[in-house]
Amino acid sequence: MAWVKRKWLPHEADEWTKEDWIAIVLSPLSYIFITFGLALSLFLLPSGFIMLAIGLVITVFMFWVIDPKLSSISKEYERKQHKYLDDLEQIQRWEEQK
Amino acid sequence: MVHFSGLDYFWSIAYILLTVFSGVLFYRLGKRSGADFFLAGRGLPWWLPATSNFATHTATDTPMWFSGWVYRSGMYGIWGSLFAGWCAISAFVSTRIFRRSLASTQAEWQTLRFSGLPAELMRGWMAGWQVALNMFIAGWVGIAMGNVCAWAFNWPIWYGLVIFSTLCAIYAMTSGFWGVIIADVQQGITMLFIIILVSIWAAMAAGGPTAIVEKIQALNRPEMLNPFHFTGFVTGDYPLLWLITMIIVPFFGGFGMATHSDWFVEAQRIQSADTIKSASYSIWSGAAAVIVRNSIWVIAVLAFFVLNPYMTDESQYQLAWFRMGFEYFPPGLVGFFFAAILAIHFSTVSGILNLGAMYATRDLYNHYINPKATDKQIVRMGRLWTLLVLLGSFFFGMMIGKDVTKWLFFALWLMTAGTWLPNILQVIWWRFNGWGYLSAWVANLGICWLVVWILPAFGILPDLKDFQQFWLLMVLVALVYLPVTFLTKPDDMDRLVKVYVQTRPIGFWGPVRREAERRGLLQKKEEIDLRAEQEARKEG
């Protein structure tokens, strides 16, 4: 699927792109399908098994799309985290800023 | 009255010892620093905060209100429990943004996102409110335990509240968030195992899944198995507007921060994760476990329904899940069931005690009173506040008494209805400033009491259903904070650029983005796109 980007440079991954929106749309759908699919499946109702299967497929696809991007963001960000934490401590101790 | 055999006593006592011991075991890690006592050192793999999310959000009162909804409305009632759905979008939006801010608490986020006096006022207000709210939640969950013990053992209701909340306060005080999170893992596994087991036993007691379906149809209640059954837009037992509210409010709330009371609990777990990806996955999978739990509970509650179909007293049918366990498990397993109830109770109360103590220590003591506090002082203060939140919970618990769910919707939902949209706007709109946000909180506090209690009491406003009150509150409070926002200056651009570059929020941040580009802090979007295109060509 060429329209889904799977290789990210850190500064590209920081931008909000269609891959984020795919996750944003699919994630609530996966929750809804899994919730009702599982509940109905436990009563052995066919509609439940269908909904559960759809929910699981959506979930797998969603993570397939978003995982490379999140990995890239994390990798770059954690590199900078220590400096950010130091800055944050300065803001936390507000009297020192005065 | 439930009777325990020797084996039942063994399970219960062994479980209490195991939990307290496994929590206290992390005493050394907990006392290392403030970050350890409240955030477990910010280095946890995703599955630890995920399990903790699940365990913390499975409280003693949870099976009560869930049983109530499903007993009354069948599968349609599940929609009400989908408030955990805010994590669906939050995991990929606000969790990511908040994790990048590295703010320890939502109160601390105020002084990162906003500038000047309103930021400080918001931080102080939010910290104080969170301390009080966590006392209330610990009391409310604690008194639910008191009620379960009163029903099961004929104890006075304060026994269950005081004894079991005090037990989990032991490891919350000694080991802080390390103790809480490690205990949460074994508690999460224990409770999920027993939830599955109760559902199996309940289904068998009612004759199996197919028999339950047949009995529901024989009772002429086929709508109990239809989650999409409506009786009108706002009328009847199954109104469409309620369902729409239950979809929009949680799911779209994921774009913001603090749109749900659970956010404050999750925020702590987001910052305890070792990476942004871990934070996202922990929030998504923790909530996924919650919705799976709800689905598993349904069969136990509907089994109870077909066995006891004509109950009208809510306080009785709310105990459906507890009764299925206590009444149908064999001797020996009943004690294990009670141990799982303790797990459910401990996980929530210990987490809430630590959370309340964090706001008091980080945002009140360390920020305003003693900014130069050493880690040792912070940990000591954290322990003291854990104890104070526990004592406060006893007061609130006894105040709530037997009406456990009466307070639920008002305290955790309607009391913050007017701030739902501002909580989203603070993330997605650069122009929404500190004064606007502060005015939303202040206005909401007054207007929610007017709309829910005072005006209906004087006949000025008709008695509205909770979801109608929610939308009304949202509109009324917007009439205050939108003019305030436009009549006051935007936040300081230096602060906005800093928070934008660090957290990269979604939405309408155009002027801030351009300023960050002008200062050379970010690449222009066109340049990024051009470079990405060149990279793609090289690969292609």
Side-chain angles (χ1 to χ4, degrees):
Chain A
M1 273 189 238
W3 58 277
V4 173
K5 193 173 171 65
R6 305 249 313 143
K7 284 185 182 172
W8 294 91
L9 295 170
H11 60 279
E12 291 170 353
D14 276 345
E15 304 294 326
W16 293 94
T17 63
K18 69 172 180 298
E19 285 76 11
D20 296 303
W21 285 100
I22 290 171
I24 288 167
V25 171
L26 292 186
S27 185
L29 289 176
S30 87
Y31 272 18
I32 291 171
F33 276 103
I34 288 173
T35 298
F36 291 105
L38 180 59
L40 292 165
S41 296
L42 293 176
F43 290 95
L44 308 179
L45 296 169
S47 58
F49 292 113
I50 295 166
M51 287 176 82
L52 185 58
I54 294 171
L56 293 175
V57 170
I58 287 174
T59 306
V60 171
F61 179 68
M62 178 187 76
F63 279 108
W64 183 80
V65 171
I66 201 67
D67 185 78
K69 191 170 187 200
L70 281 177
S71 298
S72 178
I73 293 169
S74 281
K75 207 173 166 184
E76 174 65 9
Y77 184 76
E78 304 319 322
R79 197 176 58 75
K80 298 174 184 168
Q81 178 166 322
H82 289 295
K83 186 181 174 308
Y84 284 145
L85 275 171
D86 290 343
D87 288 352
L88 200 68
E89 282 304 313
Q90 294 307 311
I91 294 172
Q92 166 67 17
R93 291 159 200 263
W94 70 308
E95 279 198 342
E96 289 173 14
Q97 287 188 313
K98 290 196 290 187
Chain B
M1 177 86 178
V2 176
H3 292 283
F4 268 23
S5 65
L7 191 57
D8 294 322
Y9 281 111
F10 167 78
W11 281 122
S12 305
I13 294 166
Y15 189 76
I16 289 170
L17 292 175
L18 171 76
T19 291
V20 175
F21 177 72
S22 70
V24 172
L25 201 63
F26 287 80
Y27 166 72
R28 281 180 188 279
L29 284 179
K31 71 170 187 173
R32 276 194 314 198
S33 66
D36 280 286
F37 194 80
F38 294 120
L39 295 172
R42 293 182 185 263
L44 301 177
W46 70 270
W47 55 272
L48 273 173
T51 320
S52 179
N53 282 344
F54 166 70
T56 305
H57 295 310
T58 308
T60 326
D61 68 296
T62 319
M64 287 186 178
W65 55 254
F66 186 80
S67 297
W69 282 346
V70 174
Y71 186 95
R72 227 176 12 247
S73 311
M75 296 249 180
Y76 179 86
I78 301 177
W79 289 104
S81 70
L82 258 181
F83 58 75
W86 68 265
C87 296
I89 290 177
S90 172
F92 303 113
V93 182
S94 56
T95 293
R96 191 162 123 187
I97 296 163
F98 186 70
R99 177 61 177 75
R100 291 179 69 133
S101 80
L102 294 173
S104 297
T105 64
Q106 188 62 29
E108 192 173 330
W109 161 263
Q110 305 307 313
T111 43
L112 299 175
R113 166 62 180 84
F114 302 115
S115 55
L117 182 62
E120 291 297 341
L121 290 173
M122 269 312 301
R123 183 168 184 172
W125 154 253
M126 195 164 274
W129 174 65
Q130 273 301 301
V131 174
L133 188 71
N134 283 300
M135 284 180 185
F136 173 79
I137 294 172
W140 161 40
V141 172
I143 204 66
M145 188 67 185
N147 280 302
V148 169
C149 292
W151 174 83
F153 310 117
N154 262 344
W155 291 355
I157 58 167
W158 68 269
Y159 275 29
L161 166 71
V162 173
I163 295 171
F164 298 117
S165 294
T166 305
L167 278 171
C168 59
I170 294 171
Y171 65 85
M173 279 176 70
T174 49
S175 309
F177 197 58
W178 274 111
V180 170
I181 208 124
I182 298 301
D184 275 355
V185 172
Q186 56 90 355
Q187 286 158 353
I189 294 166
T190 307
M191 66 180 77
L192 186 61
F193 176 68
I194 209 74
I195 285 167
I196 294 169
L197 217 56
V198 171
S199 287
I200 293 171
W201 241 265
M204 287 192 314
T210 311
I212 296 172
V213 172
E214 286 166 1
K215 285 174 186 171
I216 286 173
Q217 280 159 351
L219 287 163
N220 204 21
R221 296 290 304 275
E223 80 279 4
M224 298 283 281
L225 294 166
N226 181 5
F228 306 101
H229 175 76
F230 311 118
T231 48
F233 189 66
V234 291
T235 53
D237 292 334
Y238 306 93
L240 180 60
L241 184 58
W242 183 80
L243 186 142
I244 291 170
T245 308
M246 289 301 146
I247 292 175
I248 290 178
V249 173
F251 286 118
F252 284 84
F255 283 103
M257 294 176 189
T259 52
H260 191 277
S261 58
D262 287 348
W263 164 266
F264 298 90
V265 178
E266 311 297 18
Q268 189 182 17
R269 279 139 190 86
I270 289 167
Q271 295 300 5
S272 72
D274 58 354
T275 65
I276 295 170
K277 183 172 150 179
S278 291
S280 289
Y281 285 7
S282 71
I283 292 301
W284 194 92
S285 48
V290 166
I291 61 167
V292 164
R293 173 207 72 191
N294 293 346
S295 303
I296 297 170
W297 262 340
V298 171
I299 195 162
V301 179
L302 289 184
F304 180 84
F305 172 75
V306 298
L307 292 167
N308 307 274
Y310 303 113
M311 294 176 82
T312 51
D313 182 357
E314 188 178 4
S315 66
Q316 288 303 308
Y317 62 72
Q318 274 186 347
L319 292 170
W321 184 75
F322 292 102
R323 285 186 56 180
M324 292 312 291
F326 279 127
E327 290 175 9
Y328 289 91
F329 274 161
L333 205 52
V334 171
F336 191 75
F337 179 63
F338 186 65
I341 294 172
L342 291 177
I344 286 171
H345 181 70
F346 287 168
S347 62
T348 306
V349 174
S350 61
I352 294 297
L353 295 179
N354 184 262
L355 184 66
M358 177 159 78
Y359 278 89
T361 306
R362 286 285 298 185
D363 296 299
L364 296 177
Y365 171 73
N366 191 204
H367 185 60
Y368 293 114
I369 299 167
N370 185 5
K372 291 178 180 154
T374 61
D375 275 324
K376 201 174 174 182
Q377 286 172 311
I378 289 172
V379 171
R380 199 181 300 145
M381 193 53 64
R383 286 180 176 148
L384 174 66
W385 270 101
T386 307
L387 180 65
L388 293 174
V389 176
L390 174 75
L391 295 175
S393 77
F394 296 158
F395 167 76
F396 280 112
M398 292 313 292
M399 197 174 83
I400 294 165
K402 290 190 174 179
D403 295 322
V404 173
T405 55
K406 182 183 164 190
W407 296 76
L408 181 81
F409 260 63
F410 180 68
L412 297 187
W413 203 52
L414 292 173
M415 251 184 101
T416 54
T419 59
W420 180 79
L421 193 54
N423 282 328
I424 296 173
L425 292 177
Q426 64 164 328
V427 175
I428 68 166
W429 187 30
W430 75 278
R431 182 61 181 81
F432 189 58
N433 62 11
W435 288 115
Y437 193 51
L438 181 65
S439 67
W441 277 89
V442 174
N444 177 71
L445 198 63
I447 295 173
C448 74
W449 284 90
L450 280 174
V451 167
V452 178
W453 305 109
I454 300 170
L455 296 181
F458 286 98
I460 299 167
L461 198 70
D463 271 329
L464 298 171
K465 290 179 179 172
D466 47 42
F467 57 92
Q468 292 169 313
Q469 288 170 336
F470 179 89
W471 292 112
L472 180 61
L473 280 167
M474 211 176 84
V475 172
L476 291 176
V477 176
L479 295 176
V480 175
Y481 67 77
L482 285 177
V484 169
T485 300
F486 286 114
L487 289 171
T488 49
K489 286 181 183 173
D491 277 298
D492 176 44
M493 187 52 87
D494 287 343
R495 173 52 51 88
L496 290 170
V497 167
K498 184 176 170 59
V499 78
Y500 183 81
V501 172
Q502 185 173 347
T503 68
R504 305 302 294 272
I506 198 168
F508 309 99
W509 287 78
V512 181
R513 165 92 197 200
R514 285 191 289 279
E515 180 61 20
E517 287 174 355
R518 195 186 66 75
R519 294 184 187 188
L521 296 169
L522 289 176
Q523 266 188 299
K524 289 186 175 171
K525 272 187 180 168
E526 306 84 69
E527 289 170 11
I528 294 170
D529 292 341
L530 188 69
R531 203 169 145 193
E533 211 174 293
Q534 286 168 347
E535 293 282 337
R537 268 191 210 143
K538 261 188 218 169
E539 284 177 15

